[in-house]
Amino acid sequence: MKVMAVECAVLVMLLGLVVTGRAEIYIVTIEGEPIISYKGGENGFEATAVESDEKLDTTSESVTSYASHLEKKHDMLLDMLFDRGSYKKLYSYKHLINGFSVHLSPEQAETLRRAPGVKSVERDWKVRRLTTHTPQFLGLPTGVWPTGGGFDRAGEDIVIGFVDSGIYPHHPSFSAYHTDPYGPVPKYRGKCEIDPDTKSDFCNGKVIGAQHFAEAAKAAGAFNPAIDFASPMDGDGHGSHIAAIAAGNNGIPVRVYGHEFGRASGMAPRARIAVYKALYRLFGGFVADVVAAIDQAVHDGVDILSLSVGPNSPPATTKTTFLNPFDATLLAAVKAGVFVAQAAGNGGPFPKTLVSYSPWIASVAAAIDDRRYKNHLTMGNGKILAGTGLSPSTHSNQTYTMVAANDVLLDSSVMKYSPSDCQRPEVLNKNLVEGNILLCGYSFNFVVGTASIKKVSETAKALGAAGFVLAVESVSPGTKFDPVPVGIPGILITDVSKSMDLINYYNVSTPRDWTGRVKSFKAIGSIGDGLMPILHKSAPQVALFSARGPNIKDFSFQDADLLKPDILAPGSLIWAAWSPNGTDEPNYVGEEFAMISGTSMAAPHIAGIAALLKQKHPHWSPAAIKSALMTTSTKLDRAGRPLQAQQYSETEAMKLVTATPFDYGSGHVNPRAALDPGLIFDAGYEGYLGFLCTTPGIDIHEIKKYTNSPCNNTMGHPSNLNTPSITISHLVGTQTVTRIVTNVAGEETYVITAKMQPSVAIETSPSAMTLKPGASRKFSVTLTTRSVTRSYSFGEIIMKGSRGHKVSIPVVAMGYWR
């Protein structure tokens, strides 16, 4: 329960100003192809390049010898320029980009920048975290898992790589003992580190890779081995939560405070987990470590990457959002056939808050599913106040005296401890609290995480209270109130007006002497049962915190001709594994499970579902998987109404508005339909290059610097990239874009229709087409400005097949006169 800007999000922050003479971490790219794109030409070294979507064979002699050659060149360059001991090389990047990260002074960085053969020298970014019932909500047990052999085969032999805060390997969600034995996965070549404390292996067949990356963190002086663990051990909780959502074992009982909140399962419960820890408890991490982790994951042979990493604003050091060491590394990963799911960011509900920009990435927004937790407080005056609280009720048909924390202080001198927070039982009078309901105040300390509901419940329990009430008297903008499980009756009154009703009733019912001291406590109440969820049909909805489009292409926030986010998935109140070491959420310290919210939780839903698609269609490219997910998604809620998005009203209260593609992309994921999409929009490395080369404002030298590829494409306009969405940010008069669909089912005839808001006209050609299995066909879409409204128009193209397939893509355009 925190301000959304600092909740469980993984965000990339720019480092502070350079201090002359002080060493910094830099990411350097140099001339020469990385392994993935080296086509030969250097004396004695055979070509290692892969075609688009082809896996890298890192065991081949040609790859290992060329990798060694690149690393020697990195070392020679540094040795030639600087005295040994005056710098420290942290990593050599060889597979996806050609370069290295190094810890040196700003003056040395300038020398390096001017050295022949050096393409770019960029100061590292610092990173922090972007931060179950959903299998049933998504229809996996009945509609998807049976097609792959049931939950005990769902995701079999698919490897999902997690670049996050590590894993707690002893959790039952990651156990290999309660399932059929796991065999080897020959295609995966990752390694397992040994826990330096227990000397035990981190891997068990379910977890098949576990490594940590902290060289940049150590060089920056941020790493503390006592709490950060110099191993893949999760010192935070976030990494374990993410891995369990995507690939945790099926049917694991979620027990917290003696209550069972159902059974947890990952989206692909039989998939393997490969851990690449690059984020840490207090400081987050550094992009140099993250890039090293991604490079290693692709080298090792993961099929899917789940990322909750993204910049909190466009990187100021590069001219475009799509070109930097991080996105360029992910482009190379996709070229190597790895599907990447990335959290869209938690800066919502405001426009242009996305932190995932590039077309090769599946950017995931967060939805609220159909489960809500409600509770209520019944007062002696007959009023019932609604609130949240995952707690048991007080004894039925019994009321309890209510006492306010400020009225039961042992000594007024303890006011410096903010006693109304109820964080310290020793400052309150147990004789006055015992057997009664303790009333506490929800201050800003709860927002920033220095106070917690867990601590309130511990205080109330230590004092023998029958229960507690936490009243919110003012709301800071951006604060969200997630229900928290507690072991005794407890409720959080989140509505300020309801809190005022409680305070007024308490004050009227509580006689005081002339000094203000309470003479007797007369207010009474009872707390309801909040343990059972209520299932709503008004789901899914776009969560308030979920980042919104339009997508941007540069640091000046110019709109891009590419729709983001791509897709919506559950990301609110998600139960999953937690590390008992975890301190990311103060309400779950020491627990084995946590229920938290964020686009961090949405991304692994898509990563796990992508694993199910990869299992059924092993030869599909990352773009094909992304297309299947997007074109089959839904834009309706469970009641059949258009999706709604949470938004702020003028008074900063939460309201619901009709959602747009800038909120949900193509719509909410529908896993069952995605397994059999009918048609796919495929795209590959050449297409992504074409997108970069036709995007206005991008220097072709920048493109060559990051991709090692020249611009010689014929795409014409970035909107022609073969994505399952169409975006034209500056539609002048009339523009025609093309798309190519490929049939991945039996022969079928599709009828194409299109609709658009009135200010932009839309036409498609042809109006129908028949495709044989495996055949591809081109169609065109013509958009024409009818009136200039200075706002985007939204529409949709629907392709209905004669065998029942339905393919839809969103269309977004802003019209201008010539």
Side-chain angles (χ1 to χ4, degrees):
M1 195 171 299
K2 304 175 185 173
V3 176
M4 270 168 280
V6 295
E7 61 126 281
C8 63
V10 179
L11 301 173
V12 177
M13 309 281 288
L14 289 171
L15 289 173
L17 294 173
V18 176
V19 180
T20 302
R22 181 177 160 224
E24 301 272 6
I25 299 163
Y26 295 88
I27 299 175
V28 182
T29 58
I30 65 172
E31 287 178 2
E33 303 283 341
I35 289 166
I36 198 166
S37 56
Y38 171 59
K39 294 187 172 71
E42 293 213 28
N43 198 19
F45 297 100
E46 294 178 20
T48 58
V50 299
E51 297 301 317
S52 188
D53 308 321
E54 184 188 339
K55 285 280 185 184
L56 205 59
D57 180 10
T58 52
T59 60
S60 71
E61 171 63 28
S62 58
V63 167
T64 54
S65 63
Y66 186 62
S68 175
H69 168 66
L70 290 180
E71 185 155 4
K72 283 176 185 169
K73 284 181 75 172
H74 302 162
D75 293 338
M76 282 173 59
L77 174 65
L78 288 166
D79 281 348
M80 181 180 72
L81 293 174
F82 310 119
D83 293 335
R84 290 217 171 162
S86 69
Y87 67 91
K88 183 180 181 185
K89 191 188 77 169
L90 308 177
Y91 301 103
S92 273
Y93 306 124
K94 301 160 292 198
H95 301 95
L96 306 180
I97 59 174
N98 177 19
F100 51 87
S101 51
V102 62
H103 191 232
L104 38 66
S105 71
E107 292 83 1
Q108 288 174 305
E110 198 51 47
T111 301
L112 196 51
R113 201 171 270 120
R114 293 194 298 266
V118 172
K119 294 200 293 188
S120 68
V121 178
E122 293 186 27
R123 200 152 49 108
D124 193 8
W125 297 275
K126 198 176 178 187
V127 300
R128 294 190 307 188
R129 293 171 309 278
L130 252 175
T131 235
T132 188
H133 163 77
T134 46
Q136 287 72 29
F137 178 68
L138 295 170
L140 296 177
T142 55
V144 176
W145 290 345
T147 68
F151 74 83
D152 54 348
R153 288 290 173 265
E156 185 76 72
D157 292 342
I158 302 299
V159 182
I160 308 178
F162 298 91
V163 178
D164 215 287
S165 65
I167 197 163
Y168 183 66
H170 316 299
H171 198 283
S173 287
F174 312 126
S175 168
Y177 306 117
H178 305 300
T179 60
D180 287 346
Y182 284 98
V185 184
K187 67 184 178 185
Y188 182 74
R189 297 169 295 277
K191 65 180 183 182
C192 286
E193 293 182 19
I194 303 296
D195 190 322
D197 296 324
T198 65
K199 308 304 179 193
S200 61
D201 198 316
F202 270 87
C203 295
N204 60 7
K206 172 70 173 175
V207 180
I208 61 168
Q211 301 172 59
H212 82 289
F213 300 81
E215 292 306 311
K218 290 173 183 173
F223 187 86
N224 179 351
I227 58 172
D228 291 321
F229 301 109
S231 76
M233 177 64 77
D234 186 1
D236 177 294
H238 194 269
S240 300
H241 202 266
I242 300 304
I245 290 171
N249 289 329
N250 180 62
I252 305 302
V254 179
R255 292 194 184 97
V256 180
Y257 292 116
H259 308 301
E260 188 170 310
F261 294 95
R263 290 175 180 264
S265 172
M267 301 297 103
R270 191 69 180 174
R272 310 302 180 92
I273 293 168
V275 176
Y276 298 87
K277 176 179 170 181
L279 304 175
Y280 296 87
R281 185 187 292 187
L282 296 179
F283 61 90
F286 294 83
V287 170
D289 289 329
V290 171
V291 168
I294 295 167
D295 192 71
Q296 188 65 48
V298 175
H299 166 275
D300 293 345
V302 302
D303 299 295
I304 314 283
L305 265 178
S306 181
L307 292 176
S308 295
V309 180
N312 70 327
S313 66
T317 53
T318 56
K319 296 181 177 64
T320 174
T321 51
F322 312 124
L323 287 176
N324 55 68
F326 177 72
D327 281 70
T329 300
L330 291 176
L331 173 58
V334 171
K335 184 183 183 186
V338 177
F339 175 90
V340 180
Q342 184 184 18
N346 294 342
F350 309 107
K352 297 191 180 185
T353 46
L354 291 154
V355 299
S356 179
Y357 313 105
S358 296
W360 43 90
I361 296 164
S363 307
V364 189
I368 292 168
D369 65 22
D370 60 346
R371 187 185 56 189
R372 313 278 196 278
Y373 286 100
K374 303 286 186 187
N375 207 342
H376 61 274
L377 170 71
T378 304
M379 300 191 297
N381 61 2
K383 275 195 172 182
I384 298 175
L385 306 182
T388 66
L390 270 74
S391 84
S393 64
T394 50
H395 291 297
S396 57
N397 303 319
Q398 193 171 337
T399 59
Y400 296 83
T401 301
M402 296 195 287
V403 299
N406 282 339
D407 290 329
V408 293
L409 296 178
L410 285 171
D411 183 346
S412 61
S413 67
V414 300
M415 289 300 285
K416 65 182 179 181
Y417 294 122
S418 188
S420 65
D421 283 359
C422 298
Q423 301 294 291
R424 300 170 65 91
E426 65 271 22
V427 305
L428 303 177
N429 188 330
K430 183 172 182 176
N431 294 330
L432 295 177
V433 176
E434 197 162 17
N436 299 325
I437 292 175
L438 179 62
L439 303 184
C440 309
Y442 186 92
S443 70
F444 192 67
N445 293 336
F446 289 88
V447 178
V448 297
T450 54
S452 70
I453 295 174
K454 177 185 173 81
K455 200 74 177 162
V456 174
S457 75
E458 290 172 353
T459 295
K461 188 174 183 180
L463 297 170
F468 68 87
V469 179
L470 198 50
V472 178
E473 295 179 59
S474 65
V475 179
S476 306
T479 307
K480 64 185 181 64
F481 302 104
D482 285 352
V484 174
V486 290
I488 66 170
I491 186 170
L492 174 68
I493 308 294
T494 59
D495 187 318
V496 173
S497 65
K498 300 278 193 300
S499 294
M500 290 303 115
D501 287 345
L502 169 61
I503 292 165
N504 291 338
Y505 166 67
Y506 177 80
N507 286 337
V508 167
S509 308
T510 307
R512 301 173 184 272
D513 63 20
W514 66 274
T515 66
R517 189 181 296 272
V518 174
K519 293 200 281 188
S520 60
F521 295 98
K522 302 286 189 185
I524 57 172
S526 61
I527 297 169
D529 184 349
L531 292 174
M532 290 300 293
I534 302 161
L535 299 183
H536 279 248
K537 280 194 172 177
S538 60
Q541 294 170 355
V542 181
L544 186 71
F545 59 80
S546 187
R548 310 293 212 263
N551 192 14
I552 56 171
K553 65 182 181 182
D554 55 31
F555 191 64
S556 58
F557 285 76
Q558 294 293 308
D559 291 9
D561 291 309
L562 177 73
L563 181 64
K564 291 284 176 173
D566 290 303
I567 198 161
L568 185 66
S572 178
L573 306 184
I574 306 298
W575 276 117
W578 196 247
S579 170
N581 308 315
T583 57
D584 185 35
E585 291 286 326
N587 290 310
Y588 294 98
V589 172
E591 300 299 330
E592 278 214 329
F593 289 92
M595 181 175 64
I596 52 179
S597 302
T599 54
S600 279
M601 284 70 247
H605 277 90
I606 293 299
I609 295 166
L612 300 176
L613 268 67
K614 185 76 174 174
Q615 180 188 16
K616 185 173 181 183
H617 306 284
H619 301 299
W620 276 12
S621 68
I625 293 171
K626 181 178 163 186
S627 172
L629 291 167
M630 290 176 65
T631 60
T632 58
S633 60
T634 178
K635 295 158 205 57
L636 301 175
D637 67 16
R638 288 295 167 90
R641 297 170 304 209
L643 287 177
Q644 293 185 299
Q646 294 185 338
Q647 183 60 261
Y648 284 130
S649 67
E650 292 69 27
T651 61
E652 289 186 344
M654 202 273 290
K655 66 176 181 179
L656 291 171
V657 298
T658 302
T660 76
F662 289 149
D663 303 316
Y664 56 64
S666 59
H668 190 276
V669 65
N670 180 352
R672 185 174 188 171
L675 284 175
D676 180 22
L679 302 174
I680 57 167
F681 295 75
D682 211 348
Y685 188 70
E686 292 302 319
Y688 299 133
L689 276 179
F691 170 84
L692 293 172
C693 293
T694 54
T695 294
I698 301 186
D699 184 340
I700 60 170
H701 301 296
E702 284 277 300
I703 296 169
K704 187 151 190 349
K705 184 168 77 177
Y706 282 104
T707 67
N708 298 292
S709 302
C711 281
N712 55 357
N713 68 90
T714 56
M715 187 175 285
H717 192 276
S719 295
N720 286 323
L721 176 64
N722 204 43
T723 55
S725 64
I726 293 173
T727 301
I728 303 177
S729 62
H730 202 92
L731 175 65
V732 179
T734 296
Q735 187 173 326
T736 298
V737 299
T738 58
R739 288 292 183 273
I740 298 171
V741 288
T742 301
N743 187 8
V744 291
E747 182 173 334
E748 195 163 3
T749 298
Y750 284 86
V751 175
I752 307 174
T753 58
K755 57 184 179 182
M756 198 81 187
Q757 289 175 334
S759 56
V760 173
I762 185 168
E763 289 180 30
T764 61
S765 178
S767 57
M769 54 189 181
T770 300
L771 292 98
K772 294 187 181 301
S776 297
R777 283 286 302 273
K778 182 183 286 190
F779 70 96
S780 63
V781 180
T782 301
L783 299 169
T784 304
T785 300
R786 276 182 171 157
S787 61
V788 176
T789 60
R790 296 189 181 278
S791 61
Y792 277 96
S793 295
F794 302 108
E796 185 180 17
I797 295 167
I798 297 173
M799 309 174 75
K800 282 189 176 175
S802 55
R803 296 175 52 155
H805 290 109
K806 181 183 173 185
V807 176
S808 68
I809 68 170
V811 181
V812 177
M814 187 187 292
Y816 294 83
W817 297 129
R818 285 192 181 281

